[in-house]
Amino acid sequence: MIVTLVTLLPESGESRPERPQTLNLNLEAAGDPPVAAKPAPAADTDSAPDSDLAAEPALPEPTPQWETITVASGDTLGRLLQDRGVTAAQVHRLVTGHKRLQDLKNIRPGQTFEVLLNEQGELQALKYKPSRIQTITATLTGDGTWQASSEQREYQRRVRFADATINSSLFLAGQAAGMSDNLTMQLANIFGWDVDFVLDIRPGDRFRVLFEELYLDGEKVGEGDILAAEFWNRGRHLTAYQYQDEDGAVAYLDAQGNSMRKAFIRTPVAFSRISSGFNPGRRHPVLNTIRAHKGTDYAAPSGTPIKAAGKGKVIFAGVKGGYGNVIIVQHGRRYTTLYAHMRGFAKGVRVGTRVNQGQTIGYVGSSGLATGPHLHYEFRIDGVHRNPQTVPLPKAQGVSPGNKEQYLAQVRRVNSQMTLFAGAATLARSDVR
Ligand SMILES: [Zn+2]
């Protein structure tokens, strides 16, 4: 067994700026502060200054106690509260007080909530958790209206490292390194403007990834984002770093601060559906035919989604001789892309439709003169066929000049973190062997 995963607790300096944790949902323009369940201030203890132990314990005023209620099968909020002396009218006022509080009508067995009642059995406050990280607190205000506030817990984030060498397919390599397919797809999307994940991948290509895992109370509850990634593809070394600008927008940039994003994605098919991968002993047969017929062929199962390579407008959607069902998309003034042999078009896609990059426009088929299901893809500049793999394309905006120095410092920091993890992983591997 090869261990390729290392977990470190988040470093002190590495946490990203956090989103506001609390948002207030004022039901009405109630100005009164909520009736909080704060303990009464301790009584005066100055009378016993000599020793804490000798001091007569200060008796606080009796404070209202929160009661936790667990919903059983068949329970309704109304019944649970009325059992505790809350009137039906009060229950009604609570659940109709705000959109957020309406959820209370659909309580489920196993769910818990907390209530705070006064001595007369009147409901003063109620807390419930629509999800593991969110708590809604409803509080009765002095003027008899309900005020609700929502509190969001922060996940604990742990940085993890994975490295893998591709032997048969990207997804298998990711799985072997402990990455979910979802995370591998994130990785592919980061490099999807530079690497054609159907045609460019070769045995021996490898990648390293720093990513976040999300924890609550020590339990893993999900995956966060990729923080940084490296990809070695056919002798090229590509790097990407997650970057958050002043406006909070998150993007991936290269080591110089240029955006990874480009006008065209390299692979116009949903390659996660192409399971066969490549045959390590043989070159991909279609590579040799690119020049011959001025297009690129992607063998893929019938029905595989075809994606618009770039943002643009559909200028043709119909049958075109041996090409079968064809869509042509115009991108700006100079570029067009053509997709042929489609089984059919995506719903709503017709001449004049504006499409976004990566949007599904149709499905792989074998219409027209096709020997088997595949996408025939053409890329033209000013009407001239070009190889989309090699044509230089304009780059999207990266880091602003004012932030570049700070960004480069981030890159150096992440690089040394990556090196540290990679060293630890190598060590772990050699220990196991
Ligand atoms: Zn073709």
Side-chain angles (χ1 to χ4, degrees), residues 1-75:
M1 182 64 199
I2 295 171
V3 178
T4 52
L5 281 162
V6 181
T7 307
L8 286 191
L9 291 165
E11 297 289 340
S12 51
E14 293 301 321
S15 68
R16 284 177 296 145
E18 287 165 0
R19 278 168 233 108
Q21 305 216 358
T22 309
L23 91 127
N24 268 314
L25 309 161
N26 286 319
L27 301 185
E28 270 135 286
D32 292 339
V35 181
K38 267 193 177 169
D44 182 25
T45 51
D46 284 350
S47 51
D50 15 10
S51 155
D52 284 350
L53 289 170
E56 195 75 9
L59 284 175
E61 284 174 29
T63 54
Q65 294 293 311
W66 286 90
E67 185 193 350
T68 303
I69 301 173
T70 304
V71 179
S73 182
D75 278 345

Side-chain angles (χ1 to χ4, degrees), residues 382-395:
D382 298 326
V384 179
H385 292 273
R386 298 288 291 273
N387 182 349
Q389 316 299 51
T390 54
V391 67
L393 297 168
K395 284 180 178 176

Side-chain angles (χ1 to χ4, degrees), residues 86-254:
V86 177
T87 65
Q90 250 199 329
V91 175
H92 179 76
R93 265 197 314 151
L94 174 71
V95 296
T96 54
H98 190 272
K99 208 194 278 175
R100 269 331 236 292
L101 298 175
Q102 282 176 12
D103 293 351
L104 286 168
K105 287 190 232 170
N106 306 313
I107 52 172
R108 295 178 309 275
Q111 210 176 359
T112 60
F113 55 94
E114 291 171 76
V115 291
L116 187 69
L117 308 177
N118 66 11
E119 276 162 15
Q120 287 75 47
E122 291 159 350
L123 185 63
Q124 301 299 298
L126 181 143
K127 280 186 201 176
Y128 78 105
K129 296 182 171 181
S131 70
R132 279 185 73 163
I133 59 162
Q134 197 184 22
T135 303
I136 303 226
T137 305
T139 314
L140 192 65
T141 62
D143 62 4
T145 60
W146 285 93
Q147 194 179 55
S149 66
S150 165
E151 219 175 296
Q152 196 99 0
R153 285 180 68 190
E154 275 297 310
Y155 292 110
Q156 297 134 288
R157 292 162 188 274
R158 288 185 194 170
V159 178
R160 291 196 73 175
F161 169 84
D163 68 349
T165 299
I166 302 173
N167 294 313
S168 59
S169 95
L170 175 72
F171 286 90
L172 287 177
Q175 284 164 20
M179 292 165 65
S180 69
D181 283 358
N182 190 21
L183 203 63
T184 304
M185 198 65 214
Q186 242 193 73
L187 175 78
N189 285 336
I190 290 170
F191 294 111
W193 289 278
D194 294 299
V195 179
D196 185 327
F197 282 95
V198 174
L199 300 182
D200 285 351
I201 300 299
R202 293 290 176 276
D205 281 359
R206 60 193 183 96
F207 58 84
R208 302 203 291 205
V209 188
L210 281 183
F211 61 100
E212 280 184 330
E213 282 181 340
L214 308 178
Y215 286 77
L216 280 178
D217 309 317
E219 186 192 338
K220 185 185 162 188
V221 292
E223 280 166 343
D225 292 339
I226 287 179
L227 303 175
E230 292 180 83
F231 207 98
W232 286 265
N233 169 240
R234 303 169 76 179
R236 288 188 297 171
H237 179 213
L238 303 160
T239 51
Y241 304 83
Q242 191 188 52
Y243 174 69
Q244 187 168 25
D245 70 15
E246 306 97 323
D247 304 325
V250 172
Y252 289 91
L253 310 181
D254 68 14

Side-chain angles (χ1 to χ4, degrees), residues 198-199 202 277-279 282-288 297-299:
V198 174
L199 300 182
R202 293 290 176 276
F278 45 73
N279 181 342
R282 216 178 54 181
R283 286 186 70 84
H284 199 290
V286 301
L287 288 178
N288 303 322
D297 287 341
Y298 295 89

